[in-house]
Each structure stands twice: as structure tokens, then as C-alpha cells.
Amino acid sequence: MPKKILFYVVTLENRTPFKFLRSYIEIDSNLLVLDLEAALAAKYAKIGANVYKLKHPISLNQNIANEEFPDLKTLLEKATCATAEDLIGEAFEERRTLVVLLHDDTLTAPAASVEDRDASEVNDVVGQLRQDFSKYVKGVMEGKTPSVAAKSSNYNEIQGSDVPLLDGRFNGRAGGQTAAPPIEIYHPAFGAFSKRCKDPELEVPNDVLCHTASLLRSVSKISVQEAPRDSETRVILAKILGVSCEHVMNLNQTLSDLTSVQHTLQSINAAPVLVEVKGELGVDGSDPSVQASFSYARFYCNRERTAVRKRSCCPAFLVGLAGPWLVIMGAVLTSRVIVQRLSPYEWLGCSRVLDDDQVLQVARRLYAIRLSIADLKEYYQNFTSPVVQPNHIHPRFCPCINSFSLDGKDVSFVYVQPLERDPSSVIFKAVRCDTKSPIVIKFARRYGEDAHKWMADKGLAPKLLTCKSLGENYNGLLLVVMEFVDGQTLHDAYDSTKPLPKDVRDSVRKALDVLAQGNFVFGDLRRPNVMLENENEGEELEVLLEKRIRFIDFDWAGREGSGLRYPFHLASVVRKASGASENDPITRAHQDKMFEKL
């Protein structure tokens, strides 16, 4: 294997000021940058490493490095972090010295300013997310082929591993979170599809109606072999969807079922739609919707799609057809592969006479996806590299919504990082483009706007900037924007195995009394949902503790007796703390019980 010698200067990330040493490493050029980082971490017996490339290369030794990069903030102004999934041989030029930062949990960094501390924290989150994503992509490509992975026993094993599909199905023994944010927030094509399906004014062309009738007759025949079904339905589906579907061979020799490829400006094919066809439901012991999901994962995690992954979350529609059963799904690749059913399995068999309505209903859905696939084809034809701000997560990990209305004006913002380290996070720290002030972006199905405003007016919650529906294309999802609170949640600030200090409990109690004055209840009173704002540096007088309490999560807050209920699938931590069951009316008794266990 071809070897490459890389020179670098290295220091501990949590040491300020930086003190560099110079060294080199010999490594296979066909490995990934991720492998280089692992090798460097192992060489120095540290928990991790990040490799940086200078924006404007200069000759480096340890003395020059010490002068040029005294701290992390300065380094990030002059260098960019290497992409972990790039090939080493392609990522680094010959005789260019790299900068390596080592992570070591056993060392304690000196005290830093608030600005430096925040930058370091953000960089840590961004770096971990980047590394985690690269490991996930590598894990997908080293896993089983889609046809093998889709078999129920293998599917179950994968869903309990480090590389699950976020499709809602989970391994009963391993557990784990496999639900994900609504897929509509990552690309408008998915919401547009759902809206078109419900639009009574959508006029379906006659040729689509006739081809749909042909499809229904075709799938009504019982198939005993997959190949004839594949051949016949491929032609009909291609006509209905307005695309050409073909088998695509990946570099690793795996073969997708049917893929409609779209050429991009980067001379790499993307796939707006992937189709998986089975002769009958249950053939080969797998569900076509699951196999289509794994085919999507393999297609976009493949090394030849690196340029597409760098530019987008790889949105695509997935179509599963098994005998007379049809399912339509949406998929994106954020930090994980997210797959969501946009329609239930729909019966296509011609089982009733005098039933032209069946053709009309199925054709409407298929025409809706045809139009939505066209939206994605146009997207891939024109997409370019996004701007990635220093110390910000890559836009591919973020929702596509990037502005809100305030006082009749559109306010743009840039995502900084998720505020929960979980792929299901729907809450983000962001920065306004106009004022450069930090804000919190949240997506919700319901929100206690009145309760939030009541507490904000009393200085007990961050100022609410907007709480508006995103409209039909997002199935009525709410966009909630509030000011960012510089502080810690009670969960982060205090030992969860011990009771809260008395003055903290008393302050929370006083805040609840204020909430009660407006006849509001707070249905999720747990430590992660109450913050203690930091004191401003330089204040002459110590701010009373009760003035620093901030309630931050009003999803389940509202007026008592207004019909407010807990959601279905209520988390066990909430059930245990409140004594409530799913869909129970939210009462003050639930709130008070949670306070006692706070």
C-alpha cells in the first residue's frame, strides 16, 4: 500500500497558551483522515485528535507555531479542520506541516474568559459531531449489504448497534433512540409532497391516470419470481414518476435496486428517488421499505458521494413496492440516516368492481411524488457548497429553515450547534445575522406561548421573539425563537444524586407561585428545564438567586383546566416524576409532585 509521511506540530488542546512539538507520522495514503486522527491519538495515548490545515500555508516549526497559534481562538482564525472522511492521499499536500490538537480528559485547563470558554465548548461539540458522523459513515460502508441487512434478524441487530437507521424501529433488548425530528424541516420537498397529496385541486394528467390503472392491474397478478415483477413495474413506475430508473453499481460492488440519478455541478450523481421492488410482501424475509432504507444509506455513504455529503443532507424519496402494496418514504442523511414513512402501506390490488376512485386516489399520491421528485432534481442540479462559519456546525446537520419574522421583517440566522447531544434534537443555538446576538431555535408541535410570555415579562424566562406556524408544507410545525440564556440548567449545575440546595428550591418555588398568579401550570418541571443564569462579570452587587432562575421549556405549559394534556409516548422519566400517564390532563398536582422530586 502507498505510504505517506506527514509532518506536523502537536499540542494539547486544553493547554493555554499552546506549547507545540514537531514530529512526523508514516501512514497509508488510502486511509481516511479519521484513521490518521485515531493513529495520532494512539501514538500519544490520548482520547482523541483533530488535524488542522492552514488556510495560508507557511513553513512551521515548534517556535513559529507557538508564536502563530497561542490559543484555540487564534488557530481557528488561521486554519480549518480537515474533513475526517477524506482520503489522506487527497487531503494533504506534500511537505506541508499540519497542526494537531490532542484531547486529554485527565488534564485540567487553566481558567478562561467567558468568550474563550464558549468558543472552546462550541468547538468541542462541533468537533465531536464531525468525528461521530465520519465514524457513522464508515460503519455503514463496513456493514452488511442492503439485501442482507434488511432481513429481520440482521435489521434487529443493526438497530441495536452504533449505526442504526433512525426510522422508529428499535432493538427490544438494546433499546436506544431511533425516532428523529420531522423530516420536513430538512428539505421543503417532503412537506410539499404531503401538501399535494391533500390538495383537492391538484389536477392529475390523464397519462398518469392511465399508467396508474396499468400499475394496479399489473400488481394484482400474484408473482412467484421477483425478476418479472421488477421488469414490468420498472417500466410503468418510470412513466408515472417521470424518471428513468436504473440499477446503479457502487464502488464497493453493491447494487441498488432501482435508482433515478441526477447529475450535479460537481460531476457526481445524486439520487432524488430510490425504488425497491419485491415480487410479494415477505419475499426473501425482508420488507422493501427497509431494504430501500439500507440502499439509500449505502448509496450516500459511499466514498464517491463525498462531495454530495459535503454540500447537503442528501434528501431523497424512497418507494417500496411489494406485490400489491406501495409505501412512500422520505430520507435524509444528517448525523444519522433518517427515514420516515410519508404514506402508509397502500393496497393497489383491483379487488372491487366499479372502483374508479381507487385509481384516482393512488394516481393523486403518485403524481404528488412525481412533482416532488422534480423539486429534488432541480435542487441537485443547482446546489453548491454552503458557507461553513468557524465554530459552527456544518449546515448539512441543520434544518433548512434559516429565518423568522420579527416586527414585520425577516430576520436571518445561522445555526451554531444543537443544544442536546442527540440526533433527535429539535433545539439549537443560533446567531442572528443582523445583531450577531445568540438566540435559541426550537421546533415544536405545540407550545405554551402565553405561559412563556407571562414568565418572560416577570424576568423568569428568556424573551420570546416568535412562536409561529411554519404552514402546511411543514404540517403545522411551530418555529419558536427566544433569546439565549447564558447559564446552566439545574441538571448541569448540581449533582443529580443529591437534593437541590434549599435556596435554589425556594427560588424555584417562588417562580412557580408567579406562574400560578396567571393560572398557568408547568407540566415538565425537571432540572433540564430550569436554568440558573450566570451573573454578569463586573457587577458590584451579587444578584439574588431568585432573580437568576429561568424556565426554558413551555411545550407542556398552559392555563390550568384549558384541556392541556400530556402527549402520547410520554417518557418514563416524566411519568415517574409526575405520576401522569400518556394523554392525561396536565394538572397542578402533577407540577407539584415534580417539584417535590426536583
Side-chain angles (χ1 to χ4, degrees):
M1 293 183 180
K3 295 285 186 178
K4 189 162 190 171
I5 296 178
L6 299 173
F7 293 90
Y8 60 88
V9 289
V10 58
T11 187
L12 290 174
E13 183 182 50
N14 56 5
R15 178 172 183 170
T16 304
F18 285 161
K19 295 295 182 183
F20 287 96
L21 297 175
R22 194 168 190 268
S23 188
Y24 70 92
I25 189 171
E26 186 175 0
I27 193 166
D28 178 7
S29 62
N30 285 328
L31 294 176
L32 303 179
V33 174
L34 176 68
D35 300 310
L36 169 63
E37 292 174 335
L40 288 166
K43 178 177 179 178
Y44 293 97
K46 302 302 179 185
I47 64 169
N50 283 123
V51 176
Y52 293 83
K53 298 192 294 185
L54 300 185
K55 296 178 182 177
H56 304 289
I58 59 175
S59 178
L60 276 182
N61 58 34
Q62 61 190 57
N63 293 327
I64 295 175
N66 288 336
E67 291 180 11
E68 289 287 331
F69 319 119
D71 52 39
L72 180 61
K73 182 179 179 182
T74 307
L75 174 63
L76 294 176
E77 291 172 354
K78 299 180 178 181
T80 58
C81 203
T83 301
E85 62 201 73
D86 282 354
L87 288 175
I88 292 172
E90 298 173 358
F92 306 120
E93 300 176 20
E94 294 289 343
R95 308 192 66 81
R96 293 295 187 188
T97 304
L98 308 173
V99 179
V100 176
L101 298 187
L102 300 172
H103 313 306
D104 189 347
D105 276 349
T106 63
L107 297 180
T108 302
S113 68
V114 172
E115 182 179 351
D116 288 341
R117 185 177 68 242
D118 289 347
S120 178
E121 179 183 345
V122 170
N123 186 65
D124 181 52
V125 172
V126 173
Q128 284 190 12
L129 182 61
R130 182 181 62 84
Q131 285 195 1
D132 177 67
F133 175 66
S134 297
K135 290 178 182 177
Y136 177 79
V137 169
K138 185 177 180 182
V140 168
M141 294 311 299
E142 291 176 347
K144 297 177 173 66
T145 61
S147 60
V148 176
K151 296 184 184 301
S152 58
S153 58
N154 295 328
Y155 179 32
N156 182 57
E157 178 185 341
I158 292 169
Q159 293 303 88
S161 72
D162 293 332
V163 289
L165 301 170
L166 297 190
D167 64 353
R169 303 298 305 280
F170 61 91
N171 181 303
R173 289 187 175 181
Q177 174 67 271
T178 57
I183 202 168
E184 298 92 334
I185 68 175
Y186 295 106
H187 198 282
F190 302 117
F193 166 72
S194 298
K195 182 180 178 181
R196 285 163 174 151
C197 287
K198 302 171 187 174
D199 183 7
E201 303 300 322
L202 181 66
E203 187 173 342
V204 183
N206 187 64
D207 65 319
V208 174
L209 291 171
C210 293
H211 290 318
T212 300
S214 296
L215 178 66
L216 268 55
R217 291 192 296 272
S218 173
V219 299
S220 292
K221 292 182 292 186
I222 298 173
S223 174
V224 293
Q225 291 182 322
E226 186 172 342
R229 173 80 76 204
D230 184 321
S231 177
E232 190 172 351
T233 54
R234 173 181 178 176
V235 175
I236 301 174
L237 270 177
K239 291 178 180 178
I240 295 173
L241 301 181
V243 297
S244 59
C245 291
E246 57 193 62
H247 293 287
V248 175
M249 180 70 73
N250 294 316
L251 287 178
N252 62 351
Q253 302 303 303
T254 59
L255 192 69
S256 65
D257 198 335
L258 299 173
T259 305
S260 173
V261 296
Q262 174 60 52
H263 206 58
T264 68
L265 294 174
Q266 293 73 37
S267 300
I268 297 174
N269 286 334
V273 61
L274 289 87
V275 181
E276 197 70 42
V277 177
K278 295 290 183 185
E280 295 292 338
L281 196 61
V283 168
D284 296 332
S286 65
D287 180 334
S289 70
V290 175
Q291 187 166 332
S293 302
F294 283 118
S295 290
Y296 166 87
R298 272 296 179 107
F299 183 87
Y300 276 112
C301 286
N302 202 286
R303 194 178 74 204
E304 60 193 294
R305 304 290 179 310
T306 299
V308 180
R309 290 197 303 274
K310 286 182 177 180
R311 289 164 173 79
S312 79
C313 63
C314 309
F317 287 98
L318 311 181
V319 178
L321 186 65
W325 295 99
L326 171 75
V327 63
I328 296 172
M329 302 167 289
V332 294
L333 175 56
T334 58
S335 60
R336 296 288 186 273
V337 168
I338 297 174
V339 179
Q340 292 176 3
R341 274 67 179 167
L342 303 178
S343 76
Y345 261 111
E346 186 169 11
W347 173 257
L348 304 187
C350 298
S351 55
R352 291 157 54 97
V353 298
L354 309 176
D355 196 9
D356 285 353
D357 283 348
Q358 182 192 23
V359 175
L360 297 173
Q361 291 170 5
V362 174
R364 178 180 301 279
R365 194 180 303 279
L366 292 174
Y367 186 54
I369 193 175
R370 173 176 176 158
L371 296 177
S372 303
I373 290 170
D375 291 342
L376 285 186
K377 288 173 70 70
E378 182 178 357
Y379 165 75
Y380 280 120
Q381 280 177 339
N382 301 304
F383 81 150
T384 56
S385 297
V387 176
V388 184
Q389 303 281 359
N391 292 331
H392 290 54
I393 58 173
H394 194 291
R396 67 172 323 284
F397 297 116
C398 307
C400 61
I401 294 93
N402 57 14
S403 68
F404 64 95
S405 180
L406 182 65
D407 299 328
K409 297 180 179 179
D410 282 341
V411 177
S412 298
F413 59 84
V414 179
Y415 292 96
V416 177
Q417 67 177 87
L419 288 175
E420 298 170 342
R421 298 194 180 189
D422 188 285
S424 64
S425 177
V426 290
I427 182 168
F428 301 83
K429 182 180 180 181
V431 172
R432 288 177 56 163
C433 296
D434 54 355
T435 63
K436 307 303 180 185
S437 55
I439 54 177
V440 172
I441 303 296
K442 179 172 184 172
F443 299 91
R445 285 294 175 196
R446 60 181 185 180
Y447 198 74
E449 181 178 3
D450 292 339
H452 188 145
K453 287 181 177 178
W454 173 269
M455 295 295 275
D457 288 343
K458 306 298 188 293
L460 293 169
K463 182 179 179 181
L464 185 64
L465 300 177
T466 191
C467 179
K468 299 292 184 183
S469 170
L470 290 169
E472 285 187 80
N473 270 22
Y474 298 92
N475 287 320
L477 201 66
L478 298 175
L479 173 64
V480 181
V481 184
M482 66 191 80
E483 292 183 345
F484 180 79
V485 176
D486 183 16
Q488 287 184 297
T489 66
L490 299 187
H491 177 270
D492 293 333
Y494 299 100
D495 188 341
S496 60
T497 64
K498 299 178 181 179
L500 288 175
K502 184 178 183 303
D503 56 348
V504 176
R505 283 181 58 85
D506 290 345
S507 297
V508 175
R509 181 70 265 177
K510 289 180 180 179
L512 290 175
D513 292 340
V514 172
L515 190 71
Q517 291 172 12
N519 196 33
F520 293 108
V521 292
F522 197 81
D524 193 9
L525 186 62
R526 295 178 296 120
R527 292 191 186 192
N529 296 330
V530 182
M531 290 193 70
L532 195 61
E533 186 178 41
N534 290 336
E535 294 183 86
N536 293 326
E537 293 184 5
E539 285 185 335
E540 295 182 2
L541 298 176
E542 183 178 348
V543 179
L544 290 174
L545 184 65
E546 63 190 65
K547 298 293 185 182
R548 295 166 55 203
I549 291 293
R550 301 288 185 272
F551 284 27
I552 58 171
D553 191 335
F554 290 83
D555 290 37
W556 304 343
R559 295 192 186 276
E560 187 175 23
S562 63
L564 185 68
R565 290 179 177 271
Y566 281 108
F568 294 104
H569 314 305
L570 187 64
S572 59
V573 291
V574 180
R575 293 200 304 268
K576 184 178 179 180
S578 66
S581 298
E582 58 182 4
N583 202 39
D584 272 357
I586 298 176
T587 67
R588 198 170 304 281
H590 293 134
Q591 171 192 283
D592 291 343
K593 186 171 182 180
M594 297 186 90
F595 174 74
E596 292 304 318
K597 297 184 178 182
L598 193 61

